[in-house]
Amino acid sequence: MANLRFIVVEEAFKKKALEVEAPKGRPSEYFAKYVFNREKMFKYLPLDVYNKLRDVIDNGAPLELSVADQVAAGMKKWAIEMGVTHCTHWFQPLTEGTAEKHDAFVEHDGKGGMIEEFSGKELVQQEPDASSFPSGGIRSTFEARGYSAWDPASPVFIVDDTLMIPTIFISYTGEALDYKAPLKKAIAAVDKAATAVCQYFNPDVKKVHANLGWEQEYFLVDEGLYAARPDLLLTGRTLMGHDSAKNQQMEDHYFGAIPTRVAAFMKDLEIQALELGIPCKTRHNEVAPNQFEIAPIFEECSLAVDHNMLLMSLMRKVARKHGFRCLLHEKPFKGINGSGKHCNWSLSTDTGILLHAPGKDENADLRFITFIVETLMGVYRHNGLLKASIITASNQHRLGANEAPPAIISSFLGAQVSKVLDEIEKSDAGEFASLKGKTKMSLDIPQIPDLRIDTTDRNRTSPFAFTGNRFEFRAVGSQANPAAAMLVLNTAVAEALTDFKTRVDELISKGTDKNAAILTILRQDIKTCKPIHFEGNGYSEEWKQEAQKRGLDCETSCPVIFDNYLKPESIKMFESMHVLKKNELIARNDIKWETFTKKIQIEARVFGDLALNHIIPVATRYQSTLIDNVHKISTTFPADEAAKLNVDNINIIKKISKHTSFIIENVQKMVDARKVANKVEDQRQKAVLYHDTVMPYLDSIRYHIDKLELIVEDEMWTLPKYRELLFIR
Ligand code: ADP
Ligand code: MG
């Protein structure tokens, strides 16, 4: 009898690529087909309503209910033409995904029938039952109300038969229960602070946008094989499995030809993403086998976050259509690269990117340096917090491993920018005084006028690298909501810019020339934030030692890293920038600890079950066949000959016993450790116990299971092996 593993492997081999039918026309014609964008607003709304809505979107004007009613009417008309029957508020709770609650468009018509109904009130605000979403105790269970409120800046879109309305999600008393609400506040804070600083250089600047361009990495696995791996199914990663003899040593997967089954999936995904208004641009293989990446053109930060969340759910859906499962977990396979979501971040005005090396214009040069230095100041002051914003139970497996940024935040700038900062730092205040009355800066910062950033000047070991016109935050995990990292980054930069402006203004008020004042403060800040600036190899052992000396946050325990959110300087930053209040931070941390505990708890349970129900029985069965063989040899041959013939088998029998008894004994110890941890009430303490006393068993037991995989007869092994999960198309 062939075992399940052999059947699913054979099936996976037989699968052919699906034919994907491309929509008629060019991408430019079907782009945003399912989005109620400006073009559709213009078509479906009366002109005055259209103009009012634009004012809401562009300038944050309040939305009156009468306008909302008319907007809803226009939306309904469009949606019904598109075959839509339901609508839902779509929001980003503090779990990993998105949430929605569908309501049909129907109402009683008062004459015994039904009419399609969708009012401005339904568009603007709903009250989903919030009790099933994590709130960290802000909302006690008997007060189940939470409000979702439309975010007009993020366009409404259609998925299948449903009109999706992007919203924020807040408690009855106004605390954020989601990612979007604080992200929008952080973006507003950085806009305010950056606009004020920009006005030193150009008084016409009225608005600064935060941008985000993410690069989404993922793995694909055949769905039959996936279904035969309970660990993948229930935890998103393989909790056991020996390395494949071939994995990524040859690095032949990166930029290699995309296999046809995968190419069909990618094509389908891109078409559907474009129809939803997600501006996908690049796709390629990644370093690990079966690993890929998709990246769009960058967008305004909050919209980019929505699009990333939407794309991740689309990826899961489209993958299933093609007979795959899409793995978004940061480390689905041990020993090969994990997946990240590089978040390319920049600030821009209507006139261009603020982090772009400008070249000829000295005024812009100084502005460029200002934004680089103050970004570093934000990252330096809050390096521990930034790490807290990206660390999770799953991403902790990726950070610090050899392919990912280390669990220490530092920033790489490249040779040219580093040199300019050095020059500024070394030049003395006397020189700046001589600037008085002059507009030309080039004498004082000689490198800038022909500063051309070489984009090949890259350091892939840096978690926060300057790449020519943006910073690339590489530590973000592949399945994370990027808003978590973006809200901290934007707030930190907002605080740094605000603080910068206060100090510059003070010098100006004492009679210092504006440019001299700016340079004086920049000089101080370049010195202050020096510890965060690191051009070397972020993977090296020496860097860990060095970072410790520099006072950077080097903590590696995930639940302890979360403490950064509650440090006085973090609370001060969030409160002064009006992004999150202390009670919200406390509640959100409880959710983080609880989520961490639950993840490890589930992993430990699945792991224990697999060890006892799959691994031990299979290993024992194989051991019995060997024992049978030993008996048969003993009865067939004379004793001394039999003894010789049995030497190898007896050794293997003993080895199996050694491994199985370790496994059985330690699974029990792991269960005991869990019981102790479960009794603890305090969420932080419980998470720390799970981290310190439960998690280590997953590794120590796994070692013995992976050894057994090498010993036990291939045909008996029930779980698909790495070589099958990773190389089948
Ligand atoms: P790489 O893999 O070399 O880092 P990719 O081309 O895969 O580069 O991805 C680059 C990402 O950076 C894309 O998502 C792109 O939209 C984004 N990006 C480019 N310029 C900016 C910018 N100024 N601000 C924010 N994101 C940007
Ligand atoms: Mg990148």
Side-chain angles (χ1 to χ4, degrees):
M1 183 188 69
N3 82 17
L4 174 67
R5 183 178 130 236
F6 280 53
I7 298 168
V8 290
V9 169
E10 197 180 324
E11 286 295 313
F13 262 120
K14 280 195 267 178
K15 285 186 188 156
K16 297 258 179 323
L18 277 192
E19 285 289 334
V20 179
E21 208 183 315
K24 289 192 186 63
R26 291 187 302 270
S28 60
E29 292 166 57
Y30 58 81
F31 181 72
K33 179 179 168 189
Y34 295 115
V35 183
F36 195 69
N37 57 7
R38 285 181 196 226
E39 184 196 332
K40 274 146 211 146
M41 287 174 197
F42 188 75
K43 187 169 164 201
Y44 286 88
L45 303 180
L47 189 60
D48 62 323
V49 175
Y50 170 76
N51 285 332
K52 279 183 189 155
L53 184 58
R54 262 189 39 189
D55 197 30
V56 171
I57 295 171
D58 295 340
N59 308 317
L63 180 68
E64 294 152 32
L65 198 59
S66 62
V67 177
D69 270 331
Q70 285 174 291
V71 173
M75 269 180 195
K76 188 181 81 179
K77 185 162 186 290
W78 169 68
I80 287 172
E81 278 174 26
M82 300 290 288
V84 164
T85 53
H86 286 65
C87 73
T88 180
H89 274 196
W90 181 74
F91 53 96
Q92 299 167 18
L94 294 167
T95 50
E96 268 142 13
T98 53
E100 41 197 81
K101 172 178 168 251
H102 296 223
D103 288 319
F105 266 164
V106 290
E107 279 296 336
H108 291 294
D109 66 357
K111 299 176 213 132
M114 294 291 236
I115 51 164
E116 272 87 23
E117 193 51 66
F118 178 54
S119 69
K121 216 171 135 277
E122 284 169 277
L123 168 67
V124 171
Q125 186 178 312
Q126 286 186 3
E127 291 184 27
D129 176 8
S131 57
S132 45
F133 296 105
S135 67
I138 276 181
R139 184 190 28 63
S140 49
T141 30
F142 52 84
E143 176 47 89
R145 262 185 301 174
Y147 290 112
S148 55
W150 182 35
D151 168 20
S154 191
V156 166
F157 55 94
I158 294 172
V159 172
D160 300 328
D161 60 0
T162 303
L163 187 68
M164 314 285 283
I165 302 161
T167 62
I168 57 165
F169 184 42
I170 52 178
S171 79
Y172 184 57
T173 39
E175 288 90 0
L177 296 175
D178 71 344
Y179 282 111
K180 197 184 182 90
L183 175 65
K184 299 214 66 129
K185 289 180 182 172
I187 291 169
V190 84
D191 168 18
K192 188 169 161 220
T195 302
V197 170
C198 275
Q199 285 173 353
Y200 283 138
F201 309 101
N202 177 0
D204 295 336
V205 171
K206 294 281 175 289
K207 193 167 178 64
V208 171
H209 299 279
N211 304 305
L212 165 61
W214 39 262
E215 302 161 54
Q216 179 71 52
E217 292 180 337
Y218 61 98
F219 281 86
L220 288 177
V221 174
D222 180 84
E223 71 177 348
L225 295 165
Y226 172 90
R229 289 286 311 219
D231 48 355
L232 265 186
L233 195 92
L234 296 170
T235 73
R237 72 176 181 117
T238 54
L239 299 173
M240 48 192 70
H242 200 279
D243 284 355
S244 167
K246 173 181 191 288
N247 51 43
Q248 65 188 43
Q249 306 94 328
M250 311 294 285
E251 305 211 332
D252 48 0
H253 190 62
Y254 197 63
F255 289 134
I258 295 171
T260 50
R261 237 182 110 193
V262 175
F265 158 80
M266 285 180 169
K267 184 174 163 192
D268 207 358
L269 175 66
E270 271 176 21
I271 290 167
Q272 296 197 42
L274 287 167
E275 285 177 338
L276 282 167
I278 307 170
C280 295
K281 193 163 164 73
T282 48
R283 58 175 181 205
H284 58 73
N285 290 357
E286 265 303 325
V287 179
N290 273 10
Q291 192 188 28
F292 309 94
E293 179 186 297
I294 180 166
I297 300 169
F298 69 91
E299 298 177 283
E300 185 281 321
C301 189
S302 171
L303 182 61
V305 166
D306 283 0
H307 279 165
N308 182 249
M309 297 308 286
L310 184 55
L311 185 87
M312 288 197 287
S313 63
L314 194 61
M315 288 169 91
R316 293 195 176 97
K317 194 164 103 181
V318 176
R320 293 183 74 164
K321 179 173 147 197
H322 289 260
F324 290 119
R325 285 302 180 117
C326 177
L327 307 183
L328 290 167
H329 192 287
E330 283 82 4
K331 194 78 180 174
F333 304 102
K334 192 181 162 190
I336 59 173
N337 279 12
S339 300
K341 172 154 41 213
H342 297 178
C343 285
N344 295 271
W345 170 89
S346 66
L347 296 174
S348 62
T349 65
D350 300 344
T351 52
I353 301 275
L354 290 170
L355 294 169
H356 199 280
K360 294 276 177 288
D361 174 357
E362 290 87 4
N363 199 31
D365 289 343
L366 189 56
R367 189 189 70 186
F368 166 71
I369 295 297
T370 301
F371 277 92
I372 293 280
V373 172
E374 294 312 315
T375 300
L376 286 196
M377 279 296 278
V379 173
Y380 169 58
R381 275 195 199 134
H382 299 288
N383 69 89
L385 179 61
L386 276 162
K387 186 163 72 181
S389 77
I390 55 92
I391 195 94
T392 57
S394 49
N395 203 21
Q396 67 180 344
H397 296 293
R398 172 175 161 263
L399 297 177
N402 239 11
E403 85 288 354
I408 301 166
I409 302 292
S410 66
S411 184
F412 167 87
L413 293 176
Q416 283 152 304
V417 177
S418 301
K419 198 168 159 209
V420 175
L421 297 196
D422 283 348
E423 297 277 334
I424 296 177
E425 189 195 339
K426 280 188 216 117
S427 58
D428 67 35
E431 271 178 64
F432 300 141
S434 72
L435 274 168
K436 205 164 183 170
K438 287 189 196 166
T439 50
K440 282 226 180 296
M441 300 279 312
S442 49
L443 291 173
D444 296 274
I445 320 174
Q447 273 70 26
I448 298 184
D450 43 72
L451 185 70
R452 214 164 291 143
I453 308 298
D454 180 0
T455 45
T456 59
D457 185 7
R458 284 279 185 102
N459 180 335
R460 298 210 169 261
T461 68
S462 177
F464 195 78
F466 180 65
T467 54
N469 60 358
R470 60 191 190 266
F471 280 93
E472 187 171 344
F473 195 7
R474 304 175 66 243
V476 183
S478 50
Q479 66 182 334
N481 183 330
M486 287 299 113
L487 81 89
V488 172
L489 178 59
N490 284 308
T491 312
V493 174
E495 184 197 47
L497 288 167
T498 308
D499 184 44
F500 169 78
K501 176 134 193 322
T502 309
R503 289 175 293 148
V504 171
D505 284 352
E506 202 181 317
L507 286 184
I508 294 174
S509 74
K510 287 180 186 149
T512 312
D513 168 79
K514 184 186 77 186
N515 284 349
I518 290 172
L519 276 166
T520 304
I521 301 299
L522 284 180
R523 259 176 73 244
Q524 290 171 6
D525 288 356
I526 290 169
K527 279 203 184 83
T528 308
C529 70
K530 227 173 187 167
I532 200 77
H533 181 193
F534 179 61
E535 300 283 303
N537 179 5
Y539 296 167
S540 66
E541 245 342 281
E542 300 84 73
W543 169 233
K544 281 188 201 154
Q545 322 260 322
E546 166 74 17
Q548 195 103 40
K549 271 195 227 140
R550 293 187 186 191
L552 298 177
D553 189 312
C554 297
E555 178 59 58
T556 56
S557 159
C558 175
V560 178
I561 292 172
F562 291 153
D563 290 348
N564 278 294
Y565 277 101
L566 300 179
K567 292 207 167 130
E569 60 269 30
S570 304
I571 295 173
K572 181 166 169 267
M573 173 193 91
F574 282 120
E575 292 202 325
S576 67
M577 293 294 112
H578 308 289
V579 173
L580 285 164
K581 293 201 269 314
K582 187 175 173 184
N583 66 333
E584 290 174 295
L585 289 163
I586 292 173
R588 293 166 91 90
N589 254 34
D590 263 352
I591 297 170
K592 283 179 191 297
W593 284 313
E594 194 182 340
T595 308
F596 179 88
T597 298
K598 280 186 184 156
K599 292 253 160 167
I600 307 300
Q601 197 174 47
I602 293 170
E603 285 191 351
R605 282 193 190 137
V606 173
F607 186 76
D609 285 354
L610 278 180
L612 300 184
N613 300 338
H614 281 243
I615 308 303
I616 297 293
V618 169
T620 321
R621 185 143 42 97
Y622 179 58
Q623 195 186 36
S624 299
T625 65
L626 294 180
I627 293 171
D628 266 358
N629 184 264
V630 168
H631 274 301
K632 282 174 187 154
I633 284 179
S634 303
T635 52
T636 313
F637 295 95
D640 54 341
E641 203 180 341
K644 268 190 220 150
L645 289 171
N646 278 330
V647 167
D648 289 336
N649 274 351
I650 286 175
N651 274 339
I652 299 175
I653 290 165
K654 284 184 186 156
K655 259 193 204 162
I656 292 176
S657 288
K658 197 184 89 194
H659 293 307
T660 52
S661 48
F662 184 95
I663 293 168
I664 293 168
E665 194 185 318
N666 283 277
V667 166
Q668 189 52 49
K669 284 187 188 162
M670 180 175 76
V671 173
D672 294 341
R674 235 164 55 210
K675 281 186 187 151
V676 173
N678 288 345
K679 288 210 183 77
V680 174
E681 287 285 326
D682 180 72
Q683 294 295 358
R684 180 187 182 279
Q685 211 186 332
K686 192 191 276 190
V688 168
L689 274 182
Y690 262 90
H691 177 274
D692 294 353
T693 66
V694 179
M695 234 175 67
Y697 284 110
L698 291 172
D699 281 333
S700 61
I701 303 172
R702 176 183 184 144
Y703 171 84
H704 291 271
I705 293 178
D706 291 355
K707 286 283 178 217
L708 282 175
E709 185 186 318
L710 292 184
I711 298 173
V712 171
E713 185 193 349
D714 188 53
E715 253 186 83
M716 283 190 185
W717 200 256
T718 50
L719 299 173
K721 297 184 172 181
Y722 269 28
R723 62 167 187 261
E724 292 149 355
L725 292 167
L726 286 169
F727 289 97
I728 285 182
R729 303 289 186 228

